[in-house]
C-alpha cells in the first residue's frame, strides 16, 4: 500500500499540536476558574502524605498535567513551603490525576469536537463575565483536544498497513523493554505523557498495535514524564532536587513491578475490556488508571523510605528556608495577648530577614545575570507576601483583645512594619523585572553605572538590615544610625541621577540603559524610606507612609 508520507506527517504533527494546545488551554481555564489558588491547595492540604496524594490528584485534574503539578511541587519544596515527605505524597497523587485525560479521551466524542469548539468560542468572545470566559477556555480546550486527536488519528491510520510498523509492534510484544524505551523517549520529546498516551490510544483504537505491545509503551510514557521535573529542579535547592528524583524512582519502581507481572496484568486488562465492553481507547485509560493507582497503593507505605533513599543519593544539608509562619499560634490570642504580640513580633522580624536576603539575591542577579538568583528573590518576595497576609490576619484578631496602652502602641508599630517590609518586597521585585528587561533587551550599563549601583545596593541592604535588627532588639542607637544612612541613600540617589544625565549628554549610555539605571536607584531609595519608617517606629516618632 502506498502511503502519502507528507500528509501522514503533517496530520500527525498538526493534530499533536492542536491536542497539546487543547490540554494547555483547558488547564489554563480550569486554573483561572479555581482563582489561581492551586498553590494554596497544595500548601494547605499537604498536612500529611495522604492529604498530599489527594491534593496532587485535585491540582493535576485542574492543571491537566502531572508535569505541571510536579514542577509546582518542586518550586514549593525549593521555597520551603513543603517538606520532602509532603512532596512525595503530592507526586503520587499527580500520577493518579493525570489518568483523567486518558479517560476523557476514552469517551470518544471526536465527532462533536467542532461544535464544542464553537460553544467555547461563543463563551470567550460574546460574554464579558470573566467566569464565563474561563469556562469558554475550558470548553474550547476540551473541543481542541478531541479535534487534535481526530486529525492525529487520521494521520496514523496508514501505519496499521505498514509492514515496518507491524514488525516494530511484534518486537515490542516480544521485548517489553523496547516498548518502555520507546514510550519514555517519545514522552521526553513531546514533554507530555497525556499526549503520548493519546497517541497510544489512537494506535490501539485503529488496530495498529495490540494490547501486549501497548502496555509497555504506556509504562514508558509514565517514566518519560519525570524528565521535566528533573529539568525544573536543576539549580534548585537540594530538597527540590530530591523531590524530582523521587518522581523518577517512584515511576521506575512502578514500571519494574508491573513488567515482572506483565503477563497476568495484560490478561486482566483484556478481561476488563470484554467484561465491561470497553472501547480500545477506554481500555488504555483503564490500564493507565489501574497501573497508577496500584503503584500509589504499593509504594504509599514506603514514603519515609523513599525520602531516606533520595537523601542518601543526593546528600547535603537542606538549605530550603521554612517560609510558613512559625510563631502565630491562635491559642495565645485568647490566653495571653502579651505573648501573642511577642510571637507576632518574632514573625515580623523573620519577614524582615527575608527582605534582606531578597535584596542580596536581587543584587547578585544584577551583578551576574544568573537566573537562580532571580528565582530565589521572586520566591522570597512570594514568601514575604504570604507572611504579610498571615501576620496581618493574626494582628487583626489580636486587636480585639484587651491590650495595655504600651501593647497597643507596639501592635500599631508591628502593623506598620509589616506593610513597610511588604513594600520593600514589591520594590526589589520591580528591580528584578528591570534587570530581566535589561538582559532580554541586551541593554548595556557602563562600568561606572554598575559600580554606582553596587555601592547604592550595599548601602541600602545595610540600612534595611540595621532597621530589622533595631526592630528586633528595640535598639534606639541602631534606629538613629538607620536615619543617618537613609539620608546618605537620598543624597546618593540625587547624585547618581546627575551623574546619569552627564553620561547621557556625553553619549556614554543609551536611553534604555538610563531608564533601567534611574528606575533601579529610585526603587532602592524607596526601600530606604521604608527602612526609615521602621526605625522611626522604634524611636517612637510619627512617620509617614510611602
Amino acid at each position: 500500500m502506498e502511503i502519502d508520507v507528507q500528509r501522514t506527517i503533517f496530520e500527525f504533527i498538526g493534530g499533536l499540536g492542536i491536542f497539546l494546545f487543547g490540554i494547555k488551554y483547558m488547564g489554563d481555564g480550569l486554573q483561572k476558574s479555581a482563582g489561581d489558588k492551586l498553590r494554596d491547595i497544595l500548601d494547605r492540604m499537604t498536612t500529611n502524605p495522604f492529604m498530599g496524594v489527594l491534593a496532587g490528584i485535585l491540582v493535576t485534574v485542574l492543571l491537566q498535567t502531572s508535569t505541571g503539578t510536579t514542577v509546582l511541587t518542586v518550586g514549593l519544596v525549593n521555597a520551603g513551603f513543603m517538606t520532602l515527605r509532603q512532596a512525595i505524597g503530592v507526586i503520587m497523587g499527580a500520577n493518579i490525576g493525570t489518568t483523567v485525560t486518558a479517560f476523557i479521551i476514552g469517551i470518544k466524542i471526536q465527532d462533536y469536537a467542532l461544535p464544542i469548539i464553537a460553544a467555547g468560542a461563543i463563551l470567550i468572545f460574546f460574554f464579558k463575565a470573566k467566569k464565563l470566559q474561563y469556562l469558554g477556555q475550558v470548553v474550547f480546550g476540551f473541543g481542541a483536544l478531541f479535534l487534535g486527536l481526530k486529525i492525529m488519528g487520521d494521520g496514523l491510520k496508514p501505519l496499521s498497513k505498514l509492514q515496518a510498523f507491524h514488525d516494530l509492534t511484534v518486537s515490542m510484544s516480544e521485548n517489553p523493554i523496547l516498548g518502555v524505551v520507546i514510550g519514555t523517549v517519545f514522552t521526553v520529546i513531546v514533554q507530555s505523557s497525556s499526549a503520548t498516551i493519546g497517541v497510544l490510544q489512537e494506535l490501539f483504537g485503529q488496530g495498529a498495535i495490540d494490547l501486549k505491545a501497548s502496555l509497555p509503551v504506556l509504562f514508558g510514557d509514565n517514566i518519560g514524564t519525570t524528565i521535566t521535573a528533573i529539568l525544573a529542579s536543576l539549580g534548585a535547592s537540594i530538597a527540590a532536587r530530591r523531590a524530582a528524583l523521587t518522581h523518577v524512582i517512584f515511576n521506575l519502581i512502578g514500571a519494574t513491578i508491573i513488567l515482572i507481572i506483565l503477563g497476568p496484568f495484560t490478561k486482566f486488562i483484556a478481561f476488563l475490556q470484554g467484561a465491561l465492553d470497553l472501547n480500545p481507547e477506554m481500555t488504555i485509560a483503564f490500564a493507565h488508571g489501574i497501573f497508577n493507582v496500584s503503584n500509589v497503593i504499593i509504594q504509599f507505605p514506603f514514603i519515609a523510605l523513599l525520602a531516606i533513599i533520595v537523601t542518601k543519593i543526593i546528600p547535603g544539608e537542606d538549605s530550603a528556608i521554612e517560609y510558613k509562619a512559625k510563631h502565630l499560634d491562635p491559642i495565645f490570642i485568647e490566653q495571653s495577648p502579651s505573648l501573642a504580640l511577642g510571637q507576632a513580633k518574632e514573625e515580623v522580624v523573620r519577614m524582615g530577614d527575608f527582605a534582606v536576603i531578597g535584596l542580596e539575591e536581587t543584587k547578585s542577579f544584577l551583578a551576574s545575570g544568573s537566573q537562580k538568583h532571580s528565582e530565589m528573590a521572586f520566591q522570597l518576595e512570594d514568601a514575604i507576601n504570604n507572611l504579610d497576609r498571615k501576620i496581618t490576619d493574626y494582628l487583626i484578631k489580636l486587636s480585639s483583645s484587651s491590650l495595655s496602652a504600651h501593647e497597643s502602641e507596639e501592635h500599631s508599630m508591628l502593623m506598620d512594619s509589616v506593610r513597610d517590609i511588604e513594600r520593600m518586597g514589591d520594590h526589589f521585585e520591580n528591580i528584578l523585572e528591570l534587570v530581566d528587561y535589561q538582559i532580554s533587551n541586551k541593554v548595556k550599563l557602563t562600568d561606572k553605572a554598575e559600580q554606582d549601583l553596587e555601592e547604592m545596593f550595599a548601602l541600602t541592604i545595610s540600612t534595611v538590615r540595621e532597621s530589622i535588627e533595631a526592630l528586633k532588639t528595640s535598639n534606639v542607637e541602631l534606629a538613629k544610625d538607620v536615619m543617618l544612612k537613609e539620608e546618605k541613600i537620598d543624597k546618593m540617589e540625587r547624585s547618581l541621577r546627575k551623574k546619569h544625565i552627564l553620561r547621557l549628554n556625553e553619549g556614554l549610555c543609551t536611553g534604555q540603559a538610563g531608564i533601567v539605571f534611574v528606575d533601579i536607584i529610585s526603587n532602592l531609595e524607596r526601600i530606604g524610606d521604608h527602612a526609615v519608617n521602621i526605625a522611626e517606629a522604634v524611636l517612637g516618632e510619627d512617620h509617614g507612609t510611602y
Side-chain angles (χ1 to χ4, degrees):
M1 176 192 170
E2 277 295 316
I3 293 179
D4 187 339
V5 176
Q6 179 177 303
R7 182 177 174 182
T8 298
I9 292 171
F10 283 7
E11 285 185 343
F12 174 68
I13 60 173
L16 182 61
I18 295 170
F19 178 88
L20 289 170
F21 170 79
I23 288 179
K24 177 77 169 64
Y25 205 56
M26 184 166 66
D28 287 347
L30 285 164
Q31 188 174 348
K32 287 171 186 172
S33 300
D36 205 21
K37 291 181 180 177
L38 298 178
R39 205 190 64 179
D40 285 345
I41 292 170
L42 287 175
D43 191 15
R44 291 172 187 172
M45 283 183 65
T46 54
T47 49
N48 59 61
F50 180 71
M51 290 301 292
V53 172
L54 296 180
I57 294 170
L58 178 59
V59 171
T60 304
V61 168
L62 290 174
L63 279 176
Q64 283 297 297
T65 164
S66 62
T67 299
T69 306
T70 308
V71 169
L72 193 59
T73 304
V74 166
L76 286 169
V77 172
N78 192 44
F81 278 98
M82 192 182 289
T83 66
L84 179 60
R85 289 190 185 188
Q86 288 170 329
I88 293 171
V90 174
I91 288 165
M92 287 181 172
N95 273 34
I96 295 174
T98 195
T99 64
V100 170
T101 310
F103 280 101
I104 290 171
I105 293 167
I107 298 168
K108 282 201 77 173
I109 52 173
Q110 283 99 320
D111 293 343
Y112 302 98
L114 292 175
I116 291 170
I117 289 172
I122 289 167
L123 288 169
I124 293 167
F125 293 108
F126 294 100
F127 290 88
K128 290 184 178 178
K130 286 289 182 189
K131 285 191 176 179
L132 285 175
Q133 288 183 349
Y134 297 152
L135 177 62
Q137 267 192 250
V138 175
V139 174
F140 189 96
F142 188 68
L145 184 153
F146 281 105
L147 179 63
L149 266 177
K150 189 173 189 308
I151 296 170
M152 196 160 55
D154 289 342
L156 292 171
K157 267 179 189 172
L159 291 181
S160 59
K161 304 288 192 295
L162 198 64
Q163 186 59 42
F165 189 80
H166 178 70
D167 293 342
L168 178 63
T169 59
V170 169
S171 299
M172 286 191 293
S173 298
E174 293 172 353
N175 183 5
I177 302 296
L178 177 63
V180 172
V181 170
I182 288 170
T184 303
V185 172
F186 191 24
T187 305
V188 168
I189 293 167
V190 177
Q191 291 284 291
S192 169
S193 62
S194 293
T196 52
I197 290 166
V199 172
L200 186 64
Q201 285 174 293
E202 282 296 317
L203 288 169
F204 185 56
Q206 292 166 12
I209 185 170
D210 62 16
L211 186 61
K212 196 176 178 183
S214 300
L215 295 181
V217 177
L218 181 67
F219 310 145
D221 291 338
N222 267 14
I223 296 169
T225 195
T226 63
I227 301 301
T228 306
I230 290 288
L231 295 174
S233 73
L234 296 177
S237 70
I238 288 172
R241 296 206 300 277
R242 286 171 181 165
L245 180 61
T246 302
H247 195 198
V248 177
I249 292 173
F250 173 73
N251 281 6
L252 277 173
I253 290 172
T256 304
I257 291 169
I258 214 77
L259 280 174
I260 292 169
I261 57 165
L262 183 59
F265 184 75
T266 306
K267 287 176 184 174
F268 176 64
I269 298 300
F271 166 75
L272 281 182
Q273 183 178 16
L276 301 177
D277 194 24
L278 302 175
N279 64 46
E281 289 81 2
M282 194 60 86
T283 303
I284 296 294
F286 264 82
H288 191 210
I290 291 166
F291 165 62
N292 279 318
V293 172
S294 302
N295 198 13
V296 170
I297 292 169
I298 291 166
Q299 295 194 57
F300 184 80
F302 303 104
I303 283 179
L305 181 60
L306 274 171
I308 291 167
I309 290 168
V310 293
T311 303
K312 292 287 184 187
I313 296 171
I314 303 176
E317 281 298 312
D318 186 9
S319 59
I321 304 164
E322 177 56 68
Y323 290 170
K324 284 185 180 178
K326 281 185 172 181
H327 307 94
L328 306 181
D329 193 332
I331 199 166
F332 291 135
I333 294 174
E334 292 178 11
Q335 294 189 352
S336 175
S338 176
L339 189 55
L341 200 61
Q343 294 291 291
K345 184 176 179 179
E346 288 283 333
E347 210 60 63
V348 174
V349 169
R350 283 185 69 239
M351 185 179 171
D353 290 339
F354 290 151
V356 173
I357 301 167
L359 270 168
E360 288 171 341
E361 291 291 338
T362 305
K363 179 173 178 278
S364 298
F365 181 46
L366 175 66
S368 68
S370 172
Q371 284 299 320
K372 70 176 182 180
H373 295 299
S374 170
E375 287 166 11
M376 182 54 75
F378 273 119
Q379 286 166 1
L380 284 159
E381 204 278 329
D382 221 6
I384 288 169
N385 288 341
N386 180 58
L387 287 178
D388 170 40
R389 291 191 297 271
K390 295 288 186 345
I391 297 168
T392 302
D393 289 347
Y394 191 77
L395 288 172
I396 288 169
K397 287 175 186 171
L398 184 58
S399 64
S400 60
S401 304
S402 53
L403 299 171
S404 66
H406 174 70
E407 286 170 346
S408 291
E409 283 179 18
E410 186 164 7
H411 180 276
S412 297
M413 180 192 75
L414 290 177
M415 286 288 281
D416 290 338
S417 297
V418 167
R419 188 179 63 247
D420 282 311
I421 295 168
E422 192 277 329
R423 292 295 296 136
M424 286 180 190
D426 290 343
H427 285 300
F428 75 65
E429 184 181 29
N430 291 344
I431 297 172
L432 290 168
E433 288 168 356
L434 286 164
V435 179
D436 262 331
Y437 170 83
Q438 179 201 346
I439 292 168
S440 58
N441 290 278
K442 295 183 172 59
V443 177
K444 185 77 175 79
L445 296 175
T446 64
D447 291 343
K448 189 68 181 79
E450 287 179 352
Q451 187 182 332
D452 289 342
L453 285 177
E454 191 172 337
E455 285 177 17
M456 190 167 181
F457 247 113
L459 181 58
T460 305
I461 291 169
S462 171
T463 306
V464 172
R465 185 182 283 111
E466 282 194 5
S467 71
I468 301 303
E469 187 61 31
L471 174 67
K472 181 180 180 179
T473 59
S474 301
N475 190 318
V476 173
E477 293 305 315
L478 267 180
K480 287 178 180 175
D481 195 41
V482 169
M483 307 287 286
L484 294 172
K485 282 189 171 181
E486 199 276 331
E487 284 177 20
K488 286 183 185 175
I489 291 173
D490 286 348
K491 286 178 184 174
M492 186 179 283
E493 196 247 357
R494 289 193 293 271
S495 168
L496 294 186
R497 278 180 185 271
K498 287 175 185 174
K499 285 183 181 179
H500 157 65
I501 291 166
L502 286 173
R503 283 196 295 268
L504 205 58
N505 290 338
E506 291 170 11
L508 296 174
C509 76
T510 63
Q512 276 184 312
I515 290 168
V516 171
F517 180 83
V518 169
D519 281 358
I520 289 175
I521 61 171
S522 175
N523 276 286
L524 289 172
E525 188 271 331
R526 298 294 289 277
I527 290 170
D529 290 340
H530 290 293
V532 155
N533 287 348
I534 294 169
E536 286 177 341
V538 172
L539 292 168
E541 297 177 6
D542 291 330
H543 60 287
T545 303
Y546 292 88

